[in-house]
Amino acid sequence: MFLNLYTQGMDYVLEKLMTLTNNQPETSEQVRSELQKIQETLAITKRGVLEPEAHLNVKFMGIERLFSFNTEFYYQAVQKISEQLRTNPAVFSQGLPYQYTKAEKLSEVQIVGSTDAGFPIYSELSTPMILSVRGVIKAKPSEQSEQYASVPNTIKSIIVPVVNTKLQNILGVISPFTKQMIGSGIEMSLHSSLPLETIFSYNHDGQVSVALKAPESIQKEVELLHFNVKPFTFKKSMENITPASQSSGNKKILSGSTMKNYEVNPAKHSLGLDLPVHVSTDYPTFDLGTLVRKFKNSPTVMSFVDTIAMPGTVRYMSLQVRFNPASSQTKEIQTRFTIAHAKKNAPSDIVSVKFPKTLSMSHQEEIKKMCVENYQNDQSIRQCIEQQERQIQTTADVSESDLKFCKHTLRVEEHIPNSSEMQHCLKSAKLCEQSKIVCLNKHQESSSPVAIKKCSEKKVACQMRQYNLRKIATLLRKLEKGSAISMAIEASLNTHYEKKTVSTVLTAGVKREGQQVKSFIEVDAKIPTYESPIFVEAEINSKLPGIKAKWNKEELLSDDVQLKTDVTIHFGLKNQPKSSLKKLVLELIGTKTESQNQSVRKSQEYTRCMQQESQGRKLSAVCEYVRHQAAALDKFVLKVTAGWDLSQCASSLYLRNMMETIFYPYITERTYDSNSVSSLNKNQIIAQAMFSRQGHEAHLKFQHPGFEWDIEDVRMPMILKDVLPLSVRNGLGSRLLQKSTSQQTPASCRIENQYVTTFDNKTYSYTLNGCEHLLVKDCSGTFPIAVTARGSNGQKIVKIVSGQSLVELKPTQGSVISGIYINGQHKQMRQGETFRKVSPVTGRVTLEIQSYLDGVVVVREFQSSLEVSFDGQHIEVVAPQLIRTRACGLCGDMNGESTADLRTPKMCVFQKARIAAYTYMIPETSCGGVPQQDKAEFEKEVRECVKKTIIPTPLEELIKRHVMVKSGPAGVISKHLVEYRANGNEVCFSKVVVPVCKRGSVPIIGHMSSTPFTCFLTHTERAQHIKTKIQSNEEVSELSLLPTSYNRMIEQASGCRSPSSQRLESNSGSSSSHYQPGSGRFHPQMYDY
């Protein structure tokens, strides 16, 4: 199986999402003024954006299909929905029905040959498929507030799909005496039907709910899946059209082994679903070895899907899965997701909820939400708010279940029962109970099952929201500051008399201070079979490697790079004290060894980089590759320490057997008596991995109580090439991102003394002079981004304009760090120091300036994801993907294509990139401008201004003409007519297409029309070429321009029918037309209809 996705214009989609979420970058007046000055001085033509498109190419077992989603598809869908709404405005609330049916033969191959005895052999492979889908969609508007009244928040969909497909392959010998075919074949068939009713709902409090159940109209047993493999022999008559698999002489092929029949119903007791599975097979045993070999021999995981679909041996097998909704105890499966995100900027600050915006850590927002949902007028809402605030003042009347819940949540051995956290939890529980009571009071028939269910859902949703917020607050209290996210997932099986619920809450928080990163992860899982929730807590302390040099490879090689991570995990039941929980400690250390340094120095890439640097190409691709390897971790050691004896652990034995099976040719094992191992080491496992410089091979070591392994020369998969050893020079995720995007993201542009390499890796020669040059800018004007540079006395000056910052780097005496200016103010920094600018509104870091020991200064603007590195002579710009295809400047347009990469501000394409680069020179009286030797060529190119034009391939028009020629009402086709004259020495073609009937049918209605013909000598190449195009049902437009040889009255058909007693008779004489008896009509002699 092969999947390939091509997208275009995704930056436009991201831009609209940022606008929708109000997440656009803020801009200062100084930045806007600078951008406007560049725009007007260079007279930049505003860049348009590409229309968003997505094309998914799917290949499976030799069958290929393309699915396209573009603006035309979007507009057609919107138009259909608009038409439905105009016809019936309440169509969504009443239900929008839909139905789709399609029959298609995915593949068909027929082969005819002969045996040695001369008997015909016939082989056929066919794959028909029938797909039918019908259903209805309903939408319900939001009830949260008037602000969202017109936005539907509940979508109900009923879908009944049916898929039938079959793959049949037969091979037989035909007897010309008996007119029968005798042979064998295989039939693989699949039937699937899954009627389903889905209710999807969401609210603006970060909650999504999905409910699944069988439609009320489906109460009988349904065959969800039936997969059948049947090898057979057959004998069939060639005079009938009955398929070979259904012929009277069809016999199933069996091996002689006892037919095995199994029927199990695994979901009946666990999930309450009556889902019997019936298996009937001729296989003696399950061939697991064949399955494993298929997986190992598959080059990719997706190709394994192809091989697993084809059986290793052809034996009879039938797999059937049925579903009986009437006898199933579970009537509905419901899943609810609740998410929240919060930050705390300082230990003394309060927790600020970032998502959803409708919540806060106080109870006032929840009370207001409850009252607004259930009351209409302002006075009733105020009274409700006052009443609920009084209700939660005391917690003495909370239920026992709520008190027990809060004790488990806060782990009472760590909290005082009357502490503020306990009181907050009890108030939240009482508030959620009040939300149910207020909801029931709103409904007149509060005892109705519908009202009780709806109000109970409100209570559960409130509990999950409050629980998420409490978990976040607890985690940020441990971290003191940082950010945290919490996600609660609740899945329930609903029957007529009970509700089985499984819930999991995952909370994660992180705090970073320099190279130190501290994280907490907590998981609470509530399972009905356990009295108390399962609790998992992980504390992670990491020390990230500090890179002291940016571009100096020698300093990178000599730098001691190390990554250290300690993970402490406690797990058990939540009602247990923390001292009784099980403990697991993981220590991971990644280092760069001396062998890695020596391997880099001896590599060919290192030698080539030395040559490039001597030519002033410090930022060349090969040097970048060497720098990545110079800062790569090639050795990793993982030590696992458990709170129990690992020497007799069953899972360790399973792991040992599996590893021995996989690495048998490479493994060297040393065993010893586990009783001789000290008690301290019986609970430890140590794993070590060392990777070669290019990541092609690995050396693994494994120490376990009782044995040790040494695994040498393990070949690494290609997917890990350029990932391991792990380069930490640009961060841990940078290399992974480049690997996953084929080195296209993040895209960088490099400006050196005599060369410029664009974002799309096009290198051209150019030297900056004293004039200011535009390196990159968003020329659509959407994002406030621009970088300029100028050269002066061997040094360069860089200006970075982005967001709310204007940063200028003006080296003095060869040092960049002494000439840093932020918004016109000089910034004093030391080498190795990092400066961060924090937004007073959001508390986020908006600007970071980092100084390296090799003299490189890196400026990062986080609002627009712009990064600029500069050492006084060399410049590297990493631009955000949001300006993809809209960038302009010396760095190109960043569209992934090097063709016409450097277009001028007015969208012109010059023959030489160096000449085009002059157009991004901002004219000043103090600089020289365009050099004299290039001025004439520059002015000539500016006058001509050749622009890039995309000429679409005419294949689409050709297909349209082809379809037009072939199609028509009632069997009518429109095509050119062919006639022969002068005993076949001349061939004549009608200059226009004529509506005629297909071969085997005659016109029933028509009219005579004078049709012009043009003639050629039959043997000429041009005549044969035109005839071939006409036989291919193409419209030959050039015929209308040729001289007319004669005109003939031709009947043009407007309808056709099959002849009953009439048939066409062709004359062998020299006349170009023949007479059809009984019709009184003359017809031209036409070929190859």
Side-chain angles (χ1 to χ4, degrees):
M1 189 174 183
F2 175 78
L3 297 175
N4 187 21
L5 178 65
Y6 170 79
T7 60
Q8 169 186 289
M10 291 300 105
D11 51 343
Y12 174 80
V13 177
L14 291 174
E15 176 193 335
K16 294 303 179 184
L17 287 175
M18 291 179 67
T19 304
L20 184 65
T21 58
N22 197 22
N23 195 23
Q24 294 176 307
E26 300 176 359
T27 312
S28 66
E29 184 62 33
Q30 186 180 11
V31 169
R32 284 195 295 269
S33 175
E34 190 69 26
L35 293 173
Q36 186 67 24
K37 173 187 172 183
I38 297 173
Q39 178 79 24
E40 294 176 354
T41 305
L42 296 179
I44 297 175
T45 301
K46 189 174 182 180
R47 300 317 195 242
V49 295
L50 297 175
E51 293 184 349
E53 293 183 14
H55 303 277
L56 178 63
N57 181 233
V58 182
K59 294 181 181 179
F60 180 67
M61 298 178 63
I63 302 170
E64 185 174 356
R65 187 67 185 269
L66 179 68
F67 299 92
S68 297
F69 305 92
N70 50 23
T71 52
E72 182 180 358
F73 175 84
Y74 169 78
Y75 289 138
Q76 288 178 354
V78 171
Q79 183 179 6
K80 289 181 180 179
I81 295 174
S82 301
E83 291 175 357
Q84 292 278 356
L85 290 174
R86 281 196 298 268
T87 306
N88 182 9
V91 63
F92 282 111
S93 59
Q94 296 175 357
L96 177 64
Y98 60 89
Q99 187 168 357
Y100 176 81
T101 303
K102 187 173 184 179
E104 187 171 355
K105 185 163 284 190
L106 301 177
S107 64
E108 183 177 21
V109 179
Q110 296 178 351
I111 303 174
V112 178
S114 63
T115 65
D116 293 339
F119 286 94
I121 295 178
Y122 177 77
S123 175
E124 180 183 354
L125 172 66
S126 61
T127 312
M129 184 187 73
I130 298 177
L131 170 66
S132 177
V133 181
R134 62 180 176 86
V136 64
I137 297 177
K138 295 182 180 180
K140 183 180 178 182
S142 174
E143 296 181 355
Q144 278 192 298
S145 64
E146 296 181 358
Q147 180 182 358
Y148 306 110
S150 60
V151 182
N153 74 330
T154 302
I155 299 174
K156 180 179 179 180
S157 171
I158 300 176
I159 180 172
V160 183
V162 177
V163 178
N164 287 304
T165 183
K166 180 174 71 172
L167 187 150
Q168 179 177 284
N169 192 356
I170 63 171
L171 176 65
V173 178
I174 301 174
S175 172
F177 308 108
T178 61
K179 296 184 180 179
Q180 288 184 330
M181 180 169 61
I182 302 174
S184 62
I186 177 176
E187 181 183 67
M188 297 174 59
S189 59
L190 174 67
H191 166 80
S192 177
S193 177
L194 181 61
L196 193 65
E197 179 178 326
T198 305
I199 301 176
F200 173 86
S201 62
Y202 71 95
N203 59 34
H204 298 274
D205 301 318
Q207 291 181 304
V208 175
S209 175
V210 180
L212 305 175
K213 62 180 181 179
E216 296 180 358
S217 59
I218 306 294
Q219 293 300 323
K220 296 182 179 179
E221 189 177 64
V222 179
E223 191 176 48
L224 298 184
L225 176 70
H226 191 182
F227 177 69
N228 186 67
V229 179
K230 184 180 77 171
F232 59 90
T233 61
F234 66 91
K235 181 173 69 174
K236 62 162 293 194
S237 172
M238 297 300 295
E239 295 181 344
N240 61 53
I241 61 174
T242 304
S245 59
Q246 299 178 11
S247 62
S248 58
N250 183 284
K251 292 184 178 180
K252 189 192 307 179
I253 298 177
L254 298 175
S255 65
S257 302
T258 304
M259 183 72 69
K260 296 171 182 60
N261 294 286
Y262 309 96
E263 183 162 353
V264 293
N265 200 339
K268 190 166 187 177
H269 298 289
S270 59
L271 301 177
L273 298 175
D274 189 6
L275 281 168
V277 179
H278 179 78
V279 180
S280 178
T281 179
D282 194 29
Y283 282 91
T285 57
F286 179 68
D287 197 356
L288 180 61
T290 302
L291 190 67
V292 173
R293 283 195 300 272
K294 283 184 176 183
F295 183 76
K296 287 189 66 176
N297 296 331
S298 300
T300 63
V301 177
M302 299 304 295
S303 63
F304 175 67
V305 179
D306 286 354
T307 59
I308 193 62
M310 302 301 295
T313 57
V314 180
R315 291 175 181 261
Y316 174 79
M317 186 185 72
S318 174
L319 172 65
Q320 187 181 37
V321 182
R322 304 186 306 275
F323 172 58
N324 194 333
S327 59
S328 296
Q329 295 181 359
T330 299
K331 302 302 179 182
E332 183 183 64
I333 300 176
Q334 186 176 16
T335 306
R336 180 184 285 105
F337 303 89
T338 305
I339 189 170
H341 169 58
K343 293 190 69 176
K344 190 177 181 182
N345 296 324
S348 58
D349 290 353
I350 61 172
V351 178
S352 174
V353 180
K354 300 299 180 182
F355 178 85
K357 298 290 187 181
T358 56
L359 297 182
S360 69
M361 300 305 295
S362 65
H363 292 126
Q364 277 70 24
E365 290 294 333
E366 190 70 45
I367 293 174
K368 182 180 178 182
K369 169 183 166 55
M370 177 206 311
C371 296
V372 169
E373 285 181 357
N374 293 281
Y375 295 96
Q376 301 296 326
N377 57 73
D378 295 340
Q379 183 178 359
S380 300
I381 293 174
R382 286 195 300 271
Q383 292 177 354
C384 172
I385 293 174
E386 293 173 358
Q387 181 183 0
Q388 297 306 320
E389 287 178 347
R390 289 193 301 268
Q391 285 283 343
I392 65 171
Q393 291 300 320
T394 176
T395 59
D397 55 345
V398 296
S399 63
E400 287 293 330
S401 60
D402 291 338
L403 181 61
K404 183 179 179 181
F405 174 78
C406 288
K407 287 181 178 181
H408 285 175
T409 300
L410 299 175
R411 305 182 63 84
V412 292
E413 76 277 1
E414 300 178 10
H415 296 80
I416 302 173
N418 293 324
S419 65
S420 60
E421 291 188 8
M422 176 63 76
Q423 289 297 314
H424 192 280
C425 178
L426 294 175
K427 288 180 180 181
S428 298
K430 188 174 182 180
L431 181 61
C432 292
E433 180 66 30
Q434 284 297 117
S435 67
K436 178 182 177 180
I437 296 174
V438 172
C439 174
L440 291 173
N441 292 335
K442 176 184 176 182
H443 296 80
Q444 295 179 356
E445 299 178 0
S446 59
S447 60
S448 67
V450 176
I452 293 175
K453 180 180 179 181
K454 181 178 179 181
C455 296
S456 299
E457 289 293 327
K458 288 182 177 292
K459 176 184 175 181
V460 174
C462 172
Q463 289 175 337
M464 295 186 72
R465 287 194 300 268
Q466 293 298 315
Y467 190 43
N468 264 357
L469 295 177
R470 284 199 304 274
K471 294 291 291 184
I472 287 177
T474 304
L475 209 61
L476 289 177
R477 178 177 55 82
K478 294 179 181 180
L479 290 171
E480 294 184 346
K481 67 175 183 178
S483 63
I485 186 171
S486 181
M487 174 181 285
I489 304 173
E490 182 188 64
S492 59
L493 304 176
N494 301 332
T495 66
H496 287 310
Y497 51 88
E498 69 173 341
K499 181 178 181 180
K500 298 179 181 179
T501 302
V502 177
S503 62
T504 301
V505 180
L506 171 64
T507 311
V510 62
K511 175 184 69 174
R512 179 170 181 176
E513 293 178 338
Q515 303 304 119
Q516 300 289 336
V517 179
K518 186 174 184 178
S519 305
F520 277 100
I521 299 176
E522 290 186 3
V523 179
D524 287 353
K526 186 177 180 181
I527 302 175
T529 54
Y530 288 85
E531 181 181 355
S532 177
I534 298 174
F535 176 73
V536 180
E537 180 188 60
E539 180 180 351
I540 307 171
N541 292 286
S542 300
K543 183 181 179 181
L544 302 180
I547 303 299
K548 299 177 182 178
K550 180 70 173 177
W551 288 342
N552 191 309
K553 62 181 184 302
E554 296 300 332
E555 292 188 21
L556 287 170
L557 285 169
S558 61
D559 198 3
D560 183 17
V561 183
Q562 188 179 76
L563 169 67
K564 186 176 181 180
T565 300
D566 297 330
V567 183
T568 303
I569 303 174
H570 292 88
F571 60 94
L573 297 180
K574 198 163 187 177
N575 58 359
Q576 293 177 313
K578 192 169 183 178
S579 57
S580 302
L581 297 176
K582 289 188 176 182
K583 183 179 179 181
L584 188 67
V585 178
L586 287 76
E587 299 179 33
L588 175 65
I589 299 177
T591 57
K592 182 183 64 171
T593 63
E594 185 59 31
S595 61
Q596 171 75 2
N597 292 338
Q598 295 299 326
S599 179
V600 172
R601 287 191 172 96
K602 295 177 181 179
S603 65
Q604 296 180 357
E605 292 85 357
Y606 184 86
T607 304
R608 285 163 50 199
C609 178
M610 294 285 288
Q611 297 173 353
Q612 294 279 352
E613 286 184 336
S614 64
Q615 300 171 6
R617 300 287 309 280
K618 179 187 286 188
L619 302 184
S620 62
V622 66
C623 289
E624 184 76 1
Y625 182 69
V626 170
R627 284 190 287 268
H628 278 307
Q629 291 187 342
L633 307 176
D634 65 319
K635 181 180 178 180
F636 295 89
V637 179
L638 174 64
K639 183 166 71 173
V640 180
T641 304
W644 59 92
D645 188 355
L646 294 174
S647 59
Q648 303 299 326
C649 184
S651 58
S652 299
L653 298 177
Y654 291 141
L655 176 65
R656 178 179 182 179
N657 294 334
M658 183 183 69
M659 297 288 285
E660 286 178 341
T661 304
I662 297 174
F663 298 110
Y664 179 76
Y666 315 98
I667 197 168
T668 301
E669 185 178 48
R670 292 181 294 274
T671 59
Y672 45 88
D673 187 5
S674 60
N675 294 325
S676 62
V677 181
S678 65
S679 59
L680 182 63
N681 295 329
K682 279 188 177 183
N683 61 347
Q684 280 189 356
I685 295 177
I686 300 176
Q688 177 180 306
M690 288 189 65
F691 302 95
S692 62
R693 177 180 61 88
Q694 293 181 321
H696 293 164
E697 297 175 348
H699 184 188
L700 309 178
K701 290 184 178 181
F702 189 78
Q703 297 179 15
H704 185 277
F707 65 91
E708 293 181 0
W709 284 339
D710 197 340
I711 309 172
E712 297 182 352
D713 301 328
V714 179
R715 301 288 295 179
M716 299 298 293
M718 288 299 295
I719 193 173
L720 295 178
K721 185 181 178 183
D722 296 332
V723 176
L724 295 173
L726 182 62
S727 176
V728 294
R729 177 172 164 264
N730 291 335
L732 294 176
S734 177
R735 295 293 287 171
L736 298 176
L737 182 60
Q738 285 194 325
K739 177 70 176 180
S740 61
T741 59
S742 301
Q743 311 299 323
Q744 292 189 4
T745 304
S748 63
C749 170
R750 299 173 290 278
I751 295 92
E752 301 183 87
N753 290 333
Q754 297 179 3
Y755 298 95
V756 176
T757 302
T758 67
F759 292 120
D760 299 325
N761 290 322
K762 178 183 178 65
T763 301
Y764 61 94
S765 61
Y766 189 78
T767 303
L768 296 181
N769 58 17
C771 295
E772 188 175 14
H773 291 72
L774 177 64
L775 303 185
V776 63
K777 182 182 182 298
D778 177 15
C779 289
S780 68
T782 305
F783 295 95
I785 297 173
V787 180
T788 65
R790 69 173 75 222
S792 176
N793 300 325
Q795 294 285 335
K796 295 182 177 65
I797 299 175
V798 177
K799 183 189 295 182
I800 302 145
V801 184
S802 181
Q804 294 183 319
S805 302
L806 193 153
V807 181
E808 294 179 276
L809 304 178
K810 302 177 181 180
T812 57
Q813 298 179 355
S815 174
V816 181
I817 196 172
S818 59
I820 301 175
Y821 295 84
I822 304 175
N823 295 329
Q825 300 294 321
H826 183 258
K827 177 63 181 176
Q828 295 283 352
M829 289 184 64
R830 299 185 302 272
Q831 278 196 336
E833 185 183 357
T834 300
F835 165 76
R836 293 182 178 90
K837 181 182 177 182
V838 180
S839 171
V841 179
T842 62
R844 298 178 180 177
V845 177
T846 58
L847 179 69
E848 180 182 271
I849 302 177
Q850 184 176 3
S851 170
Y852 289 87
L853 297 183
D854 59 352
V856 180
V857 172
V858 179
V859 179
R860 300 182 182 94
E861 210 287 324
F862 293 105
Q863 280 190 325
S864 57
S865 301
L866 178 67
E867 180 179 312
V868 179
S869 304
F870 182 47
D871 67 348
Q873 295 183 356
H874 306 84
I875 308 170
E876 183 178 28
V877 181
V878 179
Q881 290 297 305
L882 289 172
I883 65 171
R884 185 178 177 86
T885 72
R886 296 185 281 186
C888 67
L890 299 187
C891 290
D893 54 11
M894 202 167 69
N895 65 351
E897 301 177 3
S898 59
T899 306
D901 193 21
L902 192 63
R903 284 183 280 181
T904 69
K906 295 184 178 180
M907 303 288 287
C908 305
V909 180
F910 289 2
Q911 291 184 1
K912 298 179 181 178
R914 178 172 54 85
I915 304 300
Y918 292 137
T919 59
Y920 288 104
M921 184 186 298
I922 300 175
E924 297 175 358
T925 56
S926 58
C927 68
V930 180
Q932 193 64 34
Q933 64 270 20
D934 293 331
K935 185 167 291 187
E937 185 177 1
F938 171 76
E939 293 175 351
K940 176 177 176 295
E941 292 278 13
V942 170
R943 286 194 304 270
E944 294 178 354
C945 188
V946 177
K947 294 193 175 182
K948 179 181 178 181
T949 305
I950 298 177
I951 303 176
T953 305
L955 179 62
E956 184 178 356
E957 294 298 324
L958 177 63
I959 293 175
K960 288 181 179 178
R961 292 199 300 268
H962 181 73
V963 172
M964 181 194 70
V965 168
K966 292 183 67 177
S967 61
V972 175
I973 62 173
S974 299
K975 65 176 296 179
H976 293 279
L977 304 182
V978 183
E979 295 186 356
Y980 286 88
R981 300 199 312 173
N983 292 325
N985 291 326
E986 277 189 352
V987 59
C988 304
F989 309 105
S990 63
K991 298 175 62 175
V992 295
V993 293
V994 179
V996 295
C997 292
K998 298 179 181 178
R999 171 172 290 181
S1001 60
V1002 296
I1004 54 176
I1005 303 173
H1007 64 278
M1008 306 299 291
S1009 176
S1010 178
T1011 305
F1013 283 78
T1014 182
C1015 301
F1016 300 86
L1017 293 176
T1018 305
H1019 65 275
T1020 60
E1021 183 178 351
R1022 188 177 186 187
Q1024 295 300 320
H1025 176 67
I1026 295 175
K1027 181 184 175 183
T1028 302
K1029 296 178 73 174
I1030 292 175
Q1031 289 174 345
S1032 300
N1033 290 333
E1034 294 185 26
E1035 181 182 1
V1036 187
S1037 57
E1038 61 185 276
L1039 290 176
S1040 61
L1041 305 176
L1042 298 176
T1044 302
S1045 301
Y1046 64 90
N1047 287 276
R1048 178 180 296 282
M1049 298 297 293
I1050 300 294
E1051 183 178 22
Q1052 298 187 3
S1054 57
C1056 303
R1057 64 179 174 86
S1058 300
S1060 54
S1061 60
Q1062 304 167 349
R1063 63 184 181 88
L1064 296 174
E1065 298 178 356
S1066 59
N1067 296 329
S1068 58
S1070 60
S1071 174
S1072 63
S1073 61
H1074 60 278
Y1075 181 71
Q1076 180 176 329
S1079 66
R1081 299 184 175 99
F1082 285 92
H1083 290 272
Q1085 189 173 356
M1086 295 172 289
Y1087 295 87
D1088 299 314
Y1089 286 2

